[in-house]
Amino acid sequence: MPYLPVGYPDLATSIDLIQALAATGADLIEVGVPFSDPLADGPTIQAAAQQALANGVTSSACLAAVRTLRGRGVQTPLLLMGYVNPILAYGVERYVADAADAGADGFIVPDLPPDEAAEMAAACAEYGLALIFLVAPTSPDKRLRLAAEHSKSFLYLVSVAGVTGERRELPPHLADFIARVRAHTDLPLAVGFGISTPEQAAAVAALCDGVVVGSALVRLAGETRPAAKVSALSSLLSAAVHDTTMINH
Amino acid sequence: MSIPFITDLPDAHGRFGPYGGQFVPETLMPALAELTEAYHIAQNDPDFWNEFHRLMRDFVGRPTPITHARRLSEHLGGAQIYLKREDLAHSGAHKINNALGQALLVQRMGKQRIVAETGAGQHGVATATAAALLGIQCVVYMGTVDMARQRPNVFRMQLLGAEVRGVDSGSKTLKDAINEAIRDWVTHVADTHYLLGSALGPHPYPAMVRDFQRVIGVEARQQMLERVGRLPDTIVACVGGGSNAIGIFHPFLADEDVRLLGVEAGGRGIASGEHAARFADPKIARIGVLHGTKSYVMQDADGQIALTHSISAGLDYASVGPEHAYLRDIGRTAYTYCTDEQALAGFKALCAYEGILPALESAHAVGHVLELAPTLPKEHILLLNLSGRGDKDLDTVMGAI
């Protein structure tokens, strides 16, 4: 489950890169919508968002990117990942309706916990889109149940207390955390934050149903010949995750 | 002294009508629940308030006096102007009230480390002061642009034992310092408290910060009754995030005859778009979410947070406390703005007529009073919250005059 933001390094390239993610076997793609103050993100994604905004990318441009990808025959589920203020500025219901129309499958909004999500959840229900909630290692059981009850399609586990970004080691208590969440829900579980290499992805995939990789891909998107590099890492990640899945099942 | 709570807001979800709430990453939701619970227990514990008020008296020097600004009142030829002298609070501004209140709470919660943001440096200095007094590790995030324009405060924080971390992302000012403080908090949430400096952010901060700042209004109300035998007709305070304003307004909310007036930063004028007057410019400022709370937010059409401008770093922020937005909606408070130029006029007038150097933030309230007072009768009593002292701003003022 790779993440790339629309508009980085530029709009056209970012759409090509997301298409490449689909072609290299991604099960689902998180399409990043840039925001000026991304407080759940580390330096890599912050910098990419700033560049995307400098390139003039708006919420409308992100929805249009989804439409373009569908027009090019991309079938992979696409989730829009962005912060709540641009959604409020666009208008919650109109945003959800236009996203559905463009061909998106749902949303991840890191600063919209279930407690504040009633309006967005109602709009998603109306238009048949998924609103994915996050849980963290700090979440007590009560909040795991709350998120599981409200999340549609899967639950997003934040692997570590912290922001997005590549880390050398996986968090030590990840298996315990995943098991604790598993005890509360039958939803598929995806794990993200701090996972960047195929080896890490394989290790995490053995414990859950989906692995999110963002910053490592975003970093490559900013280098020279990004298409080749992003495709190569995405292929390795897909292989690593799917091999493990096959071994497990 | 007990602090009476005269309104029931926010509600259990931390909302002031449609404003407020908790728009934060899930990792922080348990920390906010823990903080809400710890504050709730402290709030109802007389021992907590006894300790708070002991420190307010013995360390901060409270109650701060009320000064009748005789010469300025005569010069303007209208209302009688009284000053609530938060500039005389230890460390130079009202910020110390909240910093010490939260630091006491941190001790109760057993956390070892605090992080804070600062724009002008006043909240950073207050937090570093509280941390030094109580022996707590302290990290202050500050935009590198602000560090350059507030060098003395950076040094002051370092002398007080705080680590000042420069923030180079975004606009390199207060908003980015808050982003970075929140990122630090997310990463070290188990042992770290975020000591937010204004009546902003996710619940319970707007209510908690207000409650620590209410000491200003509680004192002022009693002092005015003792000094002039009645309540003021108008209270004026500057509004950035709005903590000094809500602190002096709140104990007067039930006194319906007292007019409560907030003054935002008009920067280079509303028409220029370069300001921080969230209530004055519907083209730029609309209801939105910034740093965990719903309120008026200066933003572009796409919901990206706008860059603000004020000569005063402490008012240079894109959003305003949610309780102010609510009180404005119900008509209990009103807001106006004061440009950089008017604030400088206020700064100079208070120096020349009263022998007081106001902080540039507070000088916005003075700047508005220069225009307001002459329109009012001589028996009108106008109370101005002089939220901080202006030594920190001498470089800026010298550059501007």
Side-chain angles (χ1 to χ4, degrees), chain B residues 269-314:
Chain B
I270 302 305
S272 74
E274 296 179 42
H275 60 78
R278 290 70 41 108
F279 291 133
D281 191 349
K283 279 198 307 242
I284 306 180
R286 299 182 308 280
I287 294 170
V289 167
L290 178 61
H291 296 138
T293 194
K294 188 180 276 189
S295 184
Y296 279 76
V297 178
M298 291 181 58
Q299 52 187 307
D300 71 12
D302 194 46
Q304 308 300 338
I305 306 308
L307 296 182
T308 51
H309 164 79
S310 170
I311 192 170
S312 129

Side-chain angles (χ1 to χ4, degrees), chain B residues 101-295:
Chain B
Q102 285 195 49
L104 284 175
L105 198 60
V106 170
Q107 281 195 319
R108 286 193 155 210
M109 292 167 71
K111 295 200 171 186
Q112 310 300 323
R113 179 176 179 268
I114 54 183
V115 293
E117 80 296 341
T118 199
Q122 285 308 100
H123 173 57
V125 167
T127 302
T129 300
L133 178 72
L134 300 177
I136 303 169
Q137 189 195 343
C138 177
V139 173
V140 178
Y141 287 91
M142 188 168 189
T144 48
V145 168
D146 289 336
M147 285 177 78
R149 57 183 174 182
Q150 304 283 345
R151 281 307 304 171
N153 270 344
V154 174
F155 187 53
R156 204 167 285 156
M157 286 184 272
Q158 289 165 340
L159 283 174
L160 291 162
E163 180 192 343
V164 182
R165 293 191 186 162
V167 178
D168 240 338
S169 58
S171 61
K172 308 173 190 195
T173 60
L174 177 59
K175 144 182 113 68
D176 310 284
I178 296 178
N179 289 339
E180 217 47 46
I182 292 175
R183 290 183 186 116
D184 181 310
W185 190 31
V186 169
T187 307
H188 304 100
V189 65
D191 69 347
T192 296
H193 172 74
Y194 178 25
L195 208 156
L196 181 56
S198 194
L200 290 167
H203 178 67
Y205 286 100
M208 182 172 68
V209 174
R210 172 199 72 200
D211 291 345
F212 292 134
Q213 296 295 2
R214 286 183 89 252
V215 66
I216 306 170
V218 169
E219 284 176 7
R221 198 171 181 286
Q222 190 181 339
Q223 286 166 318
M224 292 306 287
L225 289 173
E226 286 168 8
R227 277 282 286 282
V228 296
R230 68 177 181 90
L231 296 178
D233 299 295
T234 302
I235 299 176
V236 181
C238 65
V239 180
S243 69
N244 90 82
I246 203 71
I248 197 165
F249 288 171
H250 200 264
F252 292 89
L253 287 181
D255 302 310
E256 289 178 9
D257 294 335
V258 180
R259 183 167 178 242
L260 306 174
L261 183 60
V263 183
E264 296 186 287
R268 301 189 173 105
I270 302 305
S272 74
E274 296 179 42
H275 60 78
R278 290 70 41 108
F279 291 133
D281 191 349
K283 279 198 307 242
I284 306 180
R286 299 182 308 280
I287 294 170
V289 167
L290 178 61
H291 296 138
T293 194
K294 188 180 276 189
S295 184

Side-chain angles (χ1 to χ4, degrees), chain B residues 2-35:
Chain B
S2 72
I3 295 207
F5 290 89
I6 56 170
T7 86
D8 294 332
L9 289 175
D11 68 14
H13 304 285
R15 297 202 182 95
F16 302 88
Y19 308 107
Q22 295 180 317
F23 295 85
V24 296
E26 177 62 29
T27 307
L28 294 178
M29 290 298 283
L32 291 175
E34 181 195 3
L35 180 60

Side-chain angles (χ1 to χ4, degrees), chain B residues 305-361:
Chain B
I305 306 308
L307 296 182
T308 51
H309 164 79
S310 170
I311 192 170
S312 129
L315 303 184
D316 198 353
Y317 182 65
S319 187
V320 58
E323 191 165 14
H324 285 288
Y326 176 72
L327 292 171
R328 176 175 175 266
D329 274 7
I330 62 169
R332 182 63 193 91
T333 54
Y335 299 83
T336 181
Y337 61 88
C338 170
T339 63
D340 291 349
E341 202 177 325
Q342 291 168 307
L344 282 169
F347 187 99
K348 287 192 273 190
L350 206 66
C351 289
Y353 287 97
E354 297 297 335
I356 298 169
L357 269 71
L360 272 175
E361 290 78 15

